[in-house]
Amino acid sequence: MIFPAGREPLVAVAFMVLGASLIPAMNALAKYLASDYPVWQVVWARFLGHLIWMTLFFWPRRGFAFLRTARPTTQAVRSLVFFIANVCFITALPFVDLATASAVMFTAPIIVTALAVPLLRERVGWRRWTAVAVGFAGALVIIRPASTLFDPWALLVLVSASYYAVYQIWTRRLTLVDSPETLIVYTAAAGALVTTVAFPWFARMPASVGDLAAFAALGLVGALAHLCIVQALKRAPVSTISPIGYFELVTAVLFGYAVFGELPDAATWAGAALIVASGAWIAFRGGRSARPGGRRGN
């Protein structure tokens, strides 16, 4: 059986599919806004909206208990790293197709595997190292550094994926001491603080009611996406849920075509296939080694 008995795993899959659909919606909003407004203003709406909506969601249930953290310094570093990842990603979005950006961001779990050795002292066997190499080959196929079609903005997305991988490693450490609610709220703390302080110097009033609605929706959609993913991970093993996240690539193509008229070229599809295959293999091997009696380091 793929899933254990009971409905919780099915609910987890539904949450993950919803989260994977909301992330491209959030990216489409950011891409639309970043084409006409300063990147910092878009990042401000993304993080402050996330912080406000999640605070309103958790406060009636737990009061301010969700703000307590056992590792405030680590939370601050983690939040700052996530902020840098988002600045890089949103800066590149106006110049990169949504599907291309999503495909390159899928290298983050592959980078996590590579960094798990020096940062988490985990053993990674030759099978997963091979998958890491295949995943990076897929990224190179998309970015095409040796070609006249080289896209430096896609390279900036790869930088974003690297920072996001570090953020995931810090998140993995903090799950041992802090609640998911605390992690979700502190995810946006540094970005909201930094951009709000700088807001008077870079902000520009929305030109239309539609733009104002897009700014308001950006933080809400991002917060809901994170909440859905956390809810999925609470109900099923990571090895079961993580591969479903690749559904995001499908919705990214749909949003990119419907909103911006974008369609990935053959090289992007080929590179994305390599990245998805390597990421799925890493998740599969990680799930096997995590089972009782499983061999570590595979």
Side-chain angles (χ1 to χ4, degrees):
M1 291 179 64
I2 298 177
F3 300 116
R7 294 186 177 182
E8 283 288 283
L10 297 179
V11 175
V13 169
F15 269 120
M16 195 65 186
V17 169
L18 180 57
S21 301
L22 288 172
I23 289 174
M26 175 188 67
N27 292 342
L29 287 168
K31 181 180 177 73
Y32 166 76
L33 291 169
S35 299
D36 296 314
Y37 294 91
V39 169
W40 281 74
Q41 185 170 348
V42 180
V43 175
W44 168 81
R46 161 75 180 91
F47 280 93
L48 186 63
H50 179 124
L51 186 62
I52 291 173
W53 284 111
M54 287 297 91
T55 299
L56 291 174
F57 183 82
F58 293 126
W59 182 77
R61 300 161 141 201
R62 299 188 56 191
F64 287 107
F66 67 88
L67 293 177
R68 297 194 194 104
T69 172
R71 304 278 177 82
T73 302
T74 306
Q75 284 284 10
V77 172
R78 168 182 169 270
S79 185
L80 182 61
V81 168
F82 186 67
F83 168 64
I84 295 171
N86 274 261
V87 170
C88 293
F89 185 76
I90 294 175
T91 299
L93 265 183
F95 311 100
V96 180
D97 291 354
L98 275 183
T100 300
S102 293
V104 175
M105 283 301 295
F106 280 138
T107 59
I110 299 166
I111 298 171
V112 167
T113 301
L115 293 178
V117 176
L119 297 183
L120 296 176
R121 307 299 181 189
E122 292 184 3
R123 291 180 58 197
V124 176
W126 67 269
R127 295 179 181 86
R128 279 192 283 172
W129 276 122
T130 301
V132 168
V134 170
F136 280 119
L140 292 176
V141 169
I142 295 173
I143 298 171
R144 289 165 271 198
S147 166
T148 56
L149 298 175
F150 169 61
D151 188 353
W153 295 107
L155 190 60
L156 186 59
V157 178
L158 185 60
V159 173
S160 174
S162 300
Y163 274 101
Y164 186 61
V166 175
Y167 158 81
Q168 288 182 314
I169 288 174
W170 283 112
T171 299
R172 186 183 299 181
R173 288 179 169 179
L174 285 167
T175 54
L176 302 175
V177 294
D178 283 339
S179 69
E181 293 84 357
T182 301
L183 293 173
I184 291 175
V185 170
Y186 276 100
T187 290
L193 178 63
V194 171
T195 54
T196 298
V197 169
F199 187 81
W201 285 273
F202 63 78
R204 187 160 65 86
M205 287 297 294
S208 66
V209 175
D211 287 358
L212 181 62
F215 274 113
L218 184 60
L220 175 60
V221 175
L224 289 175
H226 274 80
L227 186 61
C228 286
I229 292 170
V230 168
Q231 290 297 323
L233 293 172
K234 284 172 63 176
R235 289 168 166 81
V238 174
S239 57
T240 299
I241 292 301
S242 293
I244 300 171
Y246 292 114
F247 183 73
E248 179 188 330
L249 188 58
V250 176
T251 51
V253 172
L254 294 176
F255 274 106
Y257 181 72
V259 180
F260 305 104
E262 302 170 346
L263 279 177
D265 60 16
T268 300
W269 281 117
L274 290 174
I275 292 170
V276 169
S278 62
W281 177 255
I282 287 171
F284 169 72
R285 297 301 305 185
R288 286 193 61 179
S289 62
R291 292 173 194 158
R295 293 179 60 187
R296 296 282 176 180
N298 290 330

